Every structure is written in C-alpha cells, then in structure tokens.
C-alpha cells in the first residue's frame, strides 16, 4: 500500500497565453488523471475547433466565457492524485484586474508555479506574480520556462531568464526557487523528461511536485488552539465531560502541558486530548481534536489555548497587508466583522498607510481609497483583542478576512504584518 496521504496544494500563475491551462491539461493527461468521458468530450470539442490534436487547455477552462476567449477568469480548482501524493491545483488568472482571484487561489498553497514564455522572458506580470507569492509567504516557487520549442530548446535563453528572475526574487522573501525548461504543449519536462534538452539535468515538474518536502512548511513551534465550541455531552458515559473542540492551527500540544487561555489569561494543564473516540497523548496541526483541562475555566468560542511559555500577542490595533476583494470600495469609518481563526469581532479600518502599485510594485502614499484588487498596508482597530502572530511566522493565526455586515459579503483578506 503506497502512502499518498500527503496533500500538496499548488497554484499556477502566468501572463495570458503563457500556457498555464495547457500545462495543467498536460499534467492531468500524462499522469492519467482524466476520465474517459471527459477525454472524449474534449477530443470532440478540439475537432470542432479544427485542432490537429487534443486541445489540453480545455481540461481546465470551465467557464464558457473562458473557452470562447481562451483566457482564465475565475480560480479553477483541479484535483488529481498519483501513487505518491494527492494534489489540488488552483489555476489562477493572469490579468491585472483579477489580482484578487490570484490572492485567494494562492493563499493556501504550498507551491507557486510561475510560467514564463521563453520568447518574452521576465515581464511585468512575472514580477507581480512573484510579489504576490512572496506576500503570501508561499514556501516554494517553481519557475516554468515554457514554450522552449519556440526558441530551439536554447540553453542560453533559459539561463538568461533564470538570472533575470533571480534578480527580482533576491529582493523578495522567497525561500526556495527552482527552474524547469519545458514545452507544455509537447510534454517536455512536464511528466516525462525531455529528450530535446539533454543539457537540463534537473527533474521534470511532476517528479519535483511529488518529492518536494512540505511537512516542514507548517509552524511546529508555536502551539495555537483556537476554540470552536465547548462539548458537554451529558450522556451516562460522559457525565462530567467538558471538552474544548477545535482545530490545532499550529504547533504541538501534549497531555500535561501547562497552558494559558487567551485573552482571559487563566492557566491550567491539559488533562486529556480526544480525536473522535481515541485518546491521544499529543495533537498537532492540522488535527481537529477536543481538549480537556484539569481546571474548570470559563472558555468559549474565539478563545485560544496556547502554551504558557509561548504566547501570541493580544492586540486591538493590528497592521495588515490587505487585498480588497469587493467591487464596492472601502467606506471610511464603517464597521466590518473581522474573522480571525474562530474569533469574530467588529473592526474598523483606521488608516491606509500606503498602497502597492501593482504595475511597478512601488509604494503609493497619501491615497486612502481602497478599491477592488488594491493591495495596501492598513491599520485596523478591533472592539476586543485578537490573539495574533505575524503572517510570516504563522499563516493560520496571521490571516484575517473582513465581512460587510450589511451584505454579508467577504470584502477583504489580509496578512498581519
């Protein structure tokens, strides 16, 4: 029995016509992850459009508008599995006006794959996608230099693009960058090694995705347990049971650990940890468990159980890199609901410190308007303290969303600075 339980989420980004949808189609096609009827339908559509072979991009372009224009608009999620791993692909749009879609698609990814057209090299869009990958703290980046068949599989072209990209990524916080020369259309270095580029000694893309070490991406140091609900079963077998249920956001909690409940500051020890009917000696992210404490403490949804010697900051004033998602801009002095782990509070945007010009990636100061797709550093004030870590340290306790109470729409997502 092969253990392919580990799930890897990756996002694809590139400019229009860089071949993202073709690349994903090729991955699904060559890894035999497409159902017969799907394949048949796409072969028929390809014939109708007059293509010689199968148009691989049709596997991902689901929206009718996309198929007609040949571009990706929404975030399309694709699921596939190989004997080594399970994968979720977020196929995100390349246009500037869909920055918000890219941010949502990439926010949970372990790996960002950035496509570059070998003929054009690093362009504005490439910088933008690298910036968003860095902003969202995506641990691994694979740069796919695509359409190598159109530059005669030139090693020199590939090396030039590698050095161009390394120049921009050195200014950003991207930890692990790898480069692959490929032709998604012909399948060079996607699932199978290319015979056309013997000078490339690395592995093809699928092998890289299957073997990439991602278990260290989760924060294992800071134990954070946001409480979702209190369990009081009142059954004969659990007469005095009181458990606090939730999902371990990061770190490890063990029976016997000295803990502090935030924001109240009460302390206790962990008496027991349950996963369904099992008793565990420890729980780690991302397990959903129930925790029992030795003392009776008033704890409710939105509180956080942490280790006493390692606490997050409790604050009502937070600085956030915010991406505005809604077509209606931010209204000054408006109260929004801020959602942070299991904690919902009212909040207000106090100040826009600066905005990022998505074209040049420069800071723009003195512009307070927040409109759709804007990325800005803002100061937020909440009615009660939130237990926060910086997003760089902890993606789970360092992220927030804002909800407009009048429409119940999610209007913004943010990373705590």
């Amino acid at each position: 029995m092969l253990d392919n339980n580990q799930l890897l989420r990756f996002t694809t980004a590139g400019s229009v016509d860089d071949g993202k949808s073709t690349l994903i189609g090729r991955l699904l096609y060559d890894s035999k992850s497409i159902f017969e009827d799907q394949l048949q339908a796409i072969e028929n559509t390809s014939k109708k459009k007059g293509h010689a072979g199968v148009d691989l991009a049709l596997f991902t372009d689901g929206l009718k508008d996309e198929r007609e224009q040949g571009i990706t608009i929404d975030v399309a999620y694709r699921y596939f599995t190989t004997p080594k791993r399970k994968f979720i692909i977020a196929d995100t749009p390349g246009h500037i006006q869909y920055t918000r879609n890219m941010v949502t698609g990439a926010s949970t990814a372990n790996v960002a794959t950035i496509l570059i057209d070998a003929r054009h090299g690093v362009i504005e869009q490439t910088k933008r996608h690298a910036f968003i990958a860095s902003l969202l703290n995506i641990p691994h980046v694979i740069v796919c230099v695509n359409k190598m068949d159109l530059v005669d599989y030139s090693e020199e072209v590939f090396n030039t693009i590698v050095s161009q990209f390394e120049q921009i990524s050195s200014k950003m916080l991207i930890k692990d960058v790898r480069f692959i020369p490929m032709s998604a259309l012909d399948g060079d270095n996607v699932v199978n090694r290319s015979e056309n580029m013997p000078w490339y000694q690395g592995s093809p893309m699928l092998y890289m995705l299957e073997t990439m070490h991602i278990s260290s991406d989760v924060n294992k140091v800071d134990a954070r347990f946001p409480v979702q609900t209190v369990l009081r079963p009142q059954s004969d077998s659990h007469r005095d049971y009181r458990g606090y249920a939730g999902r371990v956001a990061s770190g490890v909690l063990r029976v016997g650990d000295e803990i502090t409940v935030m924001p109240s500051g009460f302390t206790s020890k962990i008496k027991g940890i349950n996963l369904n009917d099992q008793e565990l000696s420890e729980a780690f992210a991302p397990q959903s468990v129930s925790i029992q404490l030795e003392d009776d403490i008033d704890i409710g949804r939105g509180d956080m159980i942490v280790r006493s010697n390692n606490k997050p900051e409790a604050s009502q004033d937070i600085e956030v890199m915010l991406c505005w998602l809604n077509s209606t801009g931010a209204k000054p002095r408006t109260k929004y609901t801020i959602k942070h782990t299991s904690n919902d509070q009212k909040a207000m945007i106090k100040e826009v410190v600066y905005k990022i010009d998505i074209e040049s990636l420069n800071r723009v100061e003195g512009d307070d308007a927040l409109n759709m797709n804007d990325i800005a550093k803002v100061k937020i004030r909440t009615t009660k303290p939130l237990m926060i870590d910086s997003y760089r340290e902890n993606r789970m306790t360092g992220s927030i969303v804002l909800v407009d109470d009048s429409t119940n729409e999610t209007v913004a997502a943010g990373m705590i600075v």
Side-chain angles (χ1 to χ4, degrees), residues 262-323:
M262 294 186 70
S264 65
F266 288 122
T267 57
S268 182
K269 279 189 175 175
I270 296 180
K271 183 165 90 176
I273 301 172
N274 297 89
L275 175 64
N276 301 327
D277 295 336
Q278 281 177 287
E279 289 195 9
L280 305 179
S281 58
E282 61 175 32
F284 50 86
Q287 286 179 320
S288 295
V289 295
S290 159
I291 289 178
Q292 288 174 279
L293 302 180
E294 289 184 356
D295 305 276
D296 250 353
I297 302 175
D298 181 19
I299 301 177
R301 181 181 171 84
D303 290 341
M304 192 180 281
I305 295 173
V306 300
R307 258 207 230 97
S308 297
N309 59 0
N310 176 341
K311 295 178 194 165
E313 181 191 345
S315 177
Q316 284 177 263
D317 290 291
I318 54 178
E319 287 200 355
V320 175
M321 286 301 286
L322 201 68
C323 177

Side-chain angles (χ1 to χ4, degrees), residues 8-275:
L8 180 134
R9 294 169 182 269
F10 69 97
T11 170
T12 57
S15 193
V16 181
D17 293 337
D18 278 350
K20 291 198 311 292
S21 299
T22 306
L23 172 62
I24 295 172
R26 173 63 68 191
L27 263 178
L28 298 173
Y29 187 71
D30 284 4
S31 64
K32 312 270 189 292
S33 303
I34 295 161
F35 294 117
E36 286 291 321
D37 55 342
Q38 257 180 321
L39 190 56
Q40 195 61 55
I42 282 161
E43 280 173 356
N44 295 344
T45 313
S46 303
K47 270 193 199 122
K48 272 185 207 155
K49 287 188 160 189
H51 296 304
V54 177
D55 182 357
L56 296 166
L58 296 176
F59 289 124
T60 54
D61 291 341
L63 294 178
K64 197 158 177 288
D65 287 352
E66 293 181 7
R67 287 196 169 175
E68 281 162 11
Q69 294 176 46
I71 58 165
T72 306
I73 299 172
D74 203 0
V75 182
Y77 290 97
R78 291 288 170 268
Y79 179 91
F80 78 105
T81 179
T82 70
K84 296 201 177 101
R85 239 182 207 158
K86 296 184 176 113
F87 298 94
I88 293 176
I89 314 171
D91 181 15
T92 61
H95 291 64
I96 301 172
Q97 69 262 39
Y98 304 121
T99 303
R100 60 179 187 155
N101 303 52
M102 189 181 160
V103 169
T104 35
S107 58
T108 55
N110 307 94
V111 182
T113 54
I114 297 177
L115 261 80
I116 296 178
D117 187 324
R119 296 167 302 175
H120 305 149
V122 171
I123 55 171
E124 282 290 317
Q125 280 288 62
T126 317
K127 293 180 189 169
R128 195 171 304 121
H129 294 146
F131 170 74
I132 290 175
S134 154
L135 181 72
L136 290 167
N137 205 21
I138 298 176
H140 313 278
V141 172
I142 299 176
V143 178
C144 304
V145 182
N146 193 23
K147 307 199 178 182
M148 287 297 291
D149 51 320
L150 302 180
V151 292
D152 297 328
Y153 304 105
S154 159
E155 182 177 9
E156 195 184 331
V157 170
F158 175 69
N159 290 339
T160 307
I161 291 172
V162 169
S163 61
Q164 282 175 347
F165 190 90
E166 281 174 341
Q167 269 178 328
I168 59 164
S169 66
S170 62
K171 297 175 192 148
M172 300 175 187
L173 293 161
I174 302 176
K175 302 176 196 124
D176 171 29
V177 187
R178 307 168 191 212
F179 299 89
I180 307 177
M182 62 166 60
S183 164
L185 195 63
D186 301 332
D188 290 279
N189 287 333
V190 180
V191 172
N192 304 313
R193 186 178 277 288
S194 167
E195 291 174 7
N196 296 309
M197 291 175 274
W199 46 264
Y200 170 68
Q201 295 299 306
S203 45
M205 182 176 173
L206 183 63
Y207 182 80
M208 210 176 264
L209 290 168
E210 284 182 331
T211 55
M212 192 169 274
H213 181 67
I214 56 167
S215 46
S216 59
D217 297 347
V218 180
N219 179 327
K220 294 195 173 73
V221 179
D222 306 311
R224 305 283 185 260
F225 185 76
V227 175
Q228 288 182 12
T229 187
V230 181
L231 301 179
R232 300 289 313 271
Q234 303 297 335
S235 63
D236 290 342
S237 53
H238 297 88
R239 189 51 75 202
D240 299 317
Y241 185 92
R242 180 195 279 266
Y244 306 101
R247 184 178 178 187
V248 184
S250 60
V252 184
L253 286 165
R254 296 183 176 88
V255 174
D257 277 356
E258 293 197 6
I259 60 93
T260 300
V261 179
M262 294 186 70
S264 65
F266 288 122
T267 57
S268 182
K269 279 189 175 175
I270 296 180
K271 183 165 90 176
I273 301 172
N274 297 89
L275 175 64

